[in-house]
């Protein structure tokens, strides 16, 4: 993962996929526009992991309602950095799954990438099992991290 001088915003796959949902589209657009504002005004970096991108692509291939060109259009506007998991991320992800047996491997990897990124302060997600998750909170405390996992900036 390349070193970042400012703070980073991580975005989960389900967040980007929610752009295709009628009931969440406007809310998600507003939040992504806020991310762009923070990038432009505060120098923050927006990251969507390779794992999250793979989840988006998989969903688009499975269901024609999800349009990859719309998601890629947003990725282009966001000018995302795309970190991939390394050994330390894999270790953190495995530990998260050991703490929470119901956590899916892709979710564990996305959270682990954000936790391992020392400049990250927020992970935007619409995935309820990740928000307020005790295993994640325990791991954050162990790592000395204060990552906000939420569906909105404020």
């Amino acid at each position: 993962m390349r070193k970042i001088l400012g703070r980073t915003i991580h975005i989960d796959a389900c967040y980007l996929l929610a752009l295709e949902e009628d009931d969440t589209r406007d809310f998600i657009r507003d939040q992504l526009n806020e991310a762009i504002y923070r990038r432009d005004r505060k120098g923050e970096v927006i990251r969507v992991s390779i794992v999250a991108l793979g989840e988006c692509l998989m969903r688009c291939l499975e269901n024609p309602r999800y349009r990859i060109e719309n998601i890629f259009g947003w990725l282009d506007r966001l000018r995302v950095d795309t970190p991939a998991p390394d050994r330390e991320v894999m270790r953190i992800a495995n530990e998260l799954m050991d703490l929470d047996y119901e956590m899916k491997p892709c979710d564990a990897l996305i959270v682990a990438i954000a936790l391992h990124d020392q400049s990250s302060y927020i992970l935007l997600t619409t995935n309820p099992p990740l928000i307020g998750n005790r295993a994640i909170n325990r791991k954050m405390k162990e790592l000395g991290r204060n990552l906000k996992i939420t569906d909105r900036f404020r």
Side-chain angles (χ1 to χ4, degrees):
M1 193 173 326
R2 77 181 169 98
K3 196 88 163 150
I4 301 294
L5 295 176
R7 297 185 337 156
T8 57
I9 300 162
H10 284 256
I11 300 175
D12 192 359
C14 62
Y15 214 78
L16 296 169
L17 292 167
L19 286 164
E20 301 296 315
E21 304 288 340
D22 292 335
D23 59 335
T24 56
R25 182 180 298 121
D26 292 338
F27 171 75
I28 298 296
R29 282 183 185 157
D30 289 346
Q31 295 304 302
L32 292 178
N33 282 324
E34 175 68 19
I36 291 169
Y37 172 83
R38 289 170 183 240
R39 181 201 64 211
D40 292 345
R41 299 283 190 250
K42 298 179 179 182
E44 295 181 3
V45 173
I46 303 168
R47 287 185 159 166
V48 177
S49 72
I50 292 295
V51 177
L53 290 177
E55 281 191 310
C56 288
L57 180 59
M58 194 169 68
R59 179 73 57 85
C60 290
L61 292 172
E62 292 171 350
N63 187 337
R65 184 181 89 192
Y66 295 97
R67 302 185 46 103
I68 194 70
E69 61 271 9
N70 294 345
I71 293 169
F72 276 28
W74 271 101
L75 293 172
D76 187 45
R77 276 179 261 165
L78 292 165
R79 289 187 244 146
V80 297
D81 185 50
T82 53
D86 60 16
R87 285 183 184 273
E88 182 62 15
V89 166
M90 298 296 287
R91 184 188 65 75
I92 294 168
N94 281 323
E95 289 174 1
L96 284 169
M97 289 186 295
D98 287 344
L99 292 169
D100 180 349
Y101 291 109
E102 294 180 10
M103 187 175 292
K104 296 176 182 172
C106 285
D107 290 341
L109 282 167
I110 290 167
V111 170
I113 288 169
L115 283 174
H116 183 58
D117 177 0
Q118 295 300 309
S119 60
S120 67
Y121 72 98
I122 191 167
L123 169 60
L124 294 172
T125 184
T126 58
N127 191 347
L130 298 183
I131 298 171
N133 182 293
R134 288 183 186 163
I136 296 171
N137 290 338
R138 182 174 164 189
K139 193 65 177 159
M140 266 194 272
K141 188 174 182 179
E142 181 184 310
L143 295 171
R145 297 296 327 255
N146 188 22
L147 178 70
K148 183 177 178 183
I149 300 176
T150 182
D151 68 346
R152 66 193 71 213
F153 280 101
R154 296 180 239 270

